[in-house]
Amino acid sequence: MAFQRRRNSYYNRLRRLLPLICAFSGALLILFALLSVFSPPPDVSDRRISKQINYGGNDQKKSIPVVFRVPTSGGRSDRDIWRSWNADLFYGCCNASTKFPNAKSITRSDRYLAIATSGGLNQQRTGIVDAVVAARILNATLVIPKLDQKSYWKDASDFSHIFQVDWFISFLSKDVKIIEQLPPKGGQTWTPSRMRVPRKCNEKCYINRVLPVLQKRHAVQLNKFDYRLSNKLRDDLQKLRCRVNYHALKFTDPILKMGNELVRRMRLRSKHYIALHLRFEPDMLAFSGCYYGGGDKEKKELGSIRRRWKTLHVNNPEKQRRQGRCPLTPEEVGLMLRALGYGSDVHIYVASGEVYGGEESLAPLKALFPHFYSKDTIATKEELEPFASYSSRMAALDFLVCDESDVFVTNNNGNMARILAGRRRYFGHKPTIRPNAKKLYKLFLSKENTTWEEFGSRVRTFQKGFMGEPKEVRAGRGEFHENPSTCICEDTITDGKSKEGGGMDSRKLGKKNKVSNGEQKEDEDAEWSSDYEEDQTDLHDRGLFNGTRLDYEDISSDDPELEEMLSD
């Protein structure tokens, strides 16, 4: 009985305490709920997330906070960010050999070749360079090329407004006879027969297709002359290409004077500067078929521009990005440069037309590099007025500032980028950075899942082979205007020291060293990807253009509908 009474007493006390226990538990639950509601959210600016890390041989994973925070400085670098490795061992060499006959001995007096170029300034420049070589192949007198005045910009400039005619004629006098206009025929103006040649037409192609017409008609004009000469020619013709491109083509004095003044003003601001060809204009993005997360507004705006090209098929935007065919955003360009070692104190000159998204798109880049300039910010409206109505002359000013920059960054492999890349290789391999967009794409997508240190390390790894270094691209690869390997010589090395002459001004002609044709080490990132090159060729062959108001590729094709549209 006593045991029964003790048990009943225990249960009675328990029943009395049960409400208190429930009330206490309820209060704790309410307290936790209030804490979860009113506690401050994580600091978004720090972008704090969790990352699983495996410690050596221990299979146990631990979650620790990781912060992706961009530093203001470029940090330590294992290289000189303003120079290319061993650049002083390489120099431009394009003198004609003793076996290259003088123009007087091979030019036929009854053959005249005229050229009508196509596109913007830099695309026309390729046509002018190749026209000289075509005239040499045909043993013809070249008439000063006609510039395209009917394409997108309606620029009325002719050759003499952009380039020094007398210098052009005199410098090339031993290579090709050049005249300013066709002589009269029978006391009347001579109208040449007009024709076109296929893209990448080689020496045999010109002899088979053009020479018979030239022999019969005596004067021929090749129309839509852009990329109409093969990349693969014998060395003496390749060197002639270089003599034209890097020495015979000089801008007129007004352009040179203003361009050099812009360079001087950039140098007054800083010892070094970067020139960035941004290529983030609405028409560029519309043509590329890329998408940048702007929702229905972006799709509608770019879609309306895209409808200009009736033969342009609809691309998969995600696939375009994965394959590296989309320009980086201004922010992505800025992050890449910071990872490569360029701090916020670096001065940047931007060559660009209207940027899609305006100041909102540029804000992240300007935050990373506040010393941000363009020709419109370092020159007055009055100074630019003589050039402002002519897109080619404005493009020439940007060309000069970009060419003289310590580092040139191109966001898309267009005409200006290719011409400048080749020119900078020829004149001392000044750093020319082209984003490895195919590799960087995935890295930018996952950047918030890594630390800045890891991000920067991977950027530097991916950019190997995309920095404009000597021997970065194998001889014969890519467009010749971009990789003029035949015209780049290398000093031999003895006991770790270059022979005398290695430090001479690379802009001088006449050095006799042979071009190094040794096998290059193959590296996945050191070559331009073949699919990228094939894509670029395909764009040209389909007659499409990807461009900006600086470097608009008004490329012709065999599509009559597209040609008619482009000629409007």
Side-chain angles (χ1 to χ4, degrees), residues 18 78 91 97 139 158 165 174 210 246 254 292 310 360 379 391 436 439 455 473 493 506 531 546 566:
L18 189 60
D78 59 353
Y91 54 90
S97 70
N139 295 334
D158 61 29
V165 176
K174 294 182 179 180
V210 183
Y246 306 131
Y292 291 90
K310 297 178 183 178
E360 184 178 351
S391 61
N436 184 356
K439 292 286 187 70
F455 174 86
V473 183
I493 300 176
S506 62
D531 60 343
N546 59 340
L566 294 179

Side-chain angles (χ1 to χ4, degrees), residues 528-549:
W528 284 310
S529 60
S530 59
D531 60 343
Y532 185 90
E533 289 186 51
E534 289 169 4
D535 179 66
Q536 291 292 319
T537 302
D538 181 56
L539 296 182
H540 288 306
D541 291 342
R542 284 191 288 127
L544 302 173
F545 58 97
N546 59 340
T548 72
R549 297 180 185 275

Side-chain angles (χ1 to χ4, degrees), residues 32 34 51 130 141 173 197 280 347-348 354 424 544:
F32 287 136
L34 290 174
K51 180 182 178 182
D130 292 349
T141 296
S173 60
V197 293
F280 205 71
H347 289 57
I348 291 186
E354 173 194 359
R424 291 169 68 86
L544 302 173

Side-chain angles (χ1 to χ4, degrees), residues 210-430:
V210 183
L211 186 56
V213 181
L214 195 58
Q215 289 173 327
K216 182 178 181 180
R217 302 291 184 179
H218 305 297
V220 170
Q221 177 173 303
L222 301 179
N223 291 330
K224 293 286 185 181
F225 198 78
D226 56 344
Y227 299 99
R228 303 287 165 176
L229 187 63
S230 172
N231 283 315
K232 297 180 180 179
L233 301 171
R234 48 191 167 95
D235 285 358
D236 54 2
L237 294 179
Q238 297 286 52
K239 286 181 178 290
L240 174 56
R241 256 179 168 166
C242 296
R243 289 198 292 281
V244 182
N245 200 2
Y246 306 131
H247 300 281
L249 279 176
K250 281 189 177 182
F251 291 121
T252 57
D253 288 339
I255 292 174
L256 284 175
K257 182 178 178 181
M258 189 68 240
N260 290 335
E261 178 60 21
L262 294 176
V263 173
R264 189 186 72 83
R265 292 176 188 180
M266 288 300 298
R267 295 287 183 208
L268 286 175
R269 288 168 167 80
S270 179
K271 180 180 179 181
H272 301 291
Y273 74 91
I274 293 174
L276 167 62
H277 194 205
L278 190 53
R279 300 304 296 269
F280 205 71
E281 292 80 1
D283 45 13
M284 175 67 208
L285 301 187
F287 174 83
S288 70
C290 300
Y291 174 68
Y292 291 90
D296 292 337
K297 181 175 181 290
E298 177 184 326
K299 292 177 181 177
K300 182 178 179 180
E301 290 174 344
L302 298 185
S304 63
I305 301 173
R306 193 172 172 79
R307 284 192 288 274
R308 294 177 188 170
W309 301 290
K310 297 178 183 178
T311 58
L312 187 60
H313 65 278
V314 178
N315 292 322
N316 180 334
E318 181 63 23
K319 183 179 179 181
Q320 292 291 100
R321 286 280 273 176
R322 284 200 311 270
Q323 293 180 343
R325 295 171 180 171
C326 295
L328 270 57
T329 67
E331 179 182 22
E332 290 169 344
V333 172
L335 290 174
M336 176 192 71
L337 290 175
R338 180 71 89 251
L340 291 174
Y342 300 98
S344 61
D345 58 332
V346 168
H347 289 57
I348 291 186
Y349 177 92
V350 177
S352 176
E354 173 194 359
V355 173
Y356 182 70
E359 284 301 314
E360 184 178 351
S361 293
L362 287 173
L365 177 59
K366 288 184 175 182
L368 288 165
F369 295 95
H371 302 290
F372 188 95
Y373 307 97
S374 68
K375 58 180 174 294
D376 297 307
T377 63
I378 60 175
T380 66
K381 187 176 181 181
E382 291 73 24
E383 287 175 317
L384 294 177
E385 187 176 0
F387 313 94
S389 300
Y390 305 96
S391 61
S392 290
R393 301 180 208 185
M394 292 288 274
L397 296 179
D398 278 324
F399 185 97
L400 287 167
V401 183
C402 290
D403 185 36
E404 292 296 328
S405 65
D406 299 280
V407 175
F408 175 61
V409 183
T410 170
N411 197 21
N412 183 270
N413 206 32
N415 289 313
M416 181 171 172
R418 285 196 291 268
I419 290 288
L420 277 171
R423 183 177 177 84
R424 291 169 68 86
R425 283 189 172 96
Y426 182 84
F427 287 123
H429 281 88
K430 292 190 292 184

Side-chain angles (χ1 to χ4, degrees), residues 483-549:
N483 182 32
S485 54
T486 308
C487 305
I488 297 175
C489 296
E490 178 182 1
D491 277 323
T492 55
I493 300 176
T494 305
D495 297 330
K497 295 182 180 180
S498 63
K499 286 186 178 181
E500 185 178 357
M504 292 179 65
D505 184 358
S506 62
R507 296 185 182 237
K508 293 181 180 179
L509 294 173
K511 300 190 78 172
K512 301 292 185 180
N513 299 61
K514 295 181 180 180
V515 179
S516 174
N517 292 318
E519 288 295 320
Q520 311 292 322
K521 180 182 178 182
E522 293 191 25
D523 187 294
E524 179 183 1
D525 291 328
E527 301 284 358
W528 284 310
S529 60
S530 59
D531 60 343
Y532 185 90
E533 289 186 51
E534 289 169 4
D535 179 66
Q536 291 292 319
T537 302
D538 181 56
L539 296 182
H540 288 306
D541 291 342
R542 284 191 288 127
L544 302 173
F545 58 97
N546 59 340
T548 72
R549 297 180 185 275

Side-chain angles (χ1 to χ4, degrees), residues 63-118:
S63 180
I64 63 172
V66 176
V67 180
F68 183 84
R69 182 177 292 161
V70 183
T72 57
S73 68
R76 296 183 62 183
S77 177
D78 59 353
R79 66 182 185 89
D80 183 347
I81 61 175
W82 300 110
R83 286 176 54 83
S84 296
W85 287 106
N86 296 323
D88 56 338
L89 300 180
F90 298 83
Y91 54 90
C93 53
C94 66
N95 273 1
S97 70
T98 55
K99 297 181 181 180
F100 195 64
N102 190 288
K104 290 182 179 180
S105 65
I106 57 100
T107 303
R108 297 290 298 269
S109 60
D110 59 346
R111 296 180 191 174
Y112 295 94
L113 182 68
I115 297 293
T117 60
S118 178

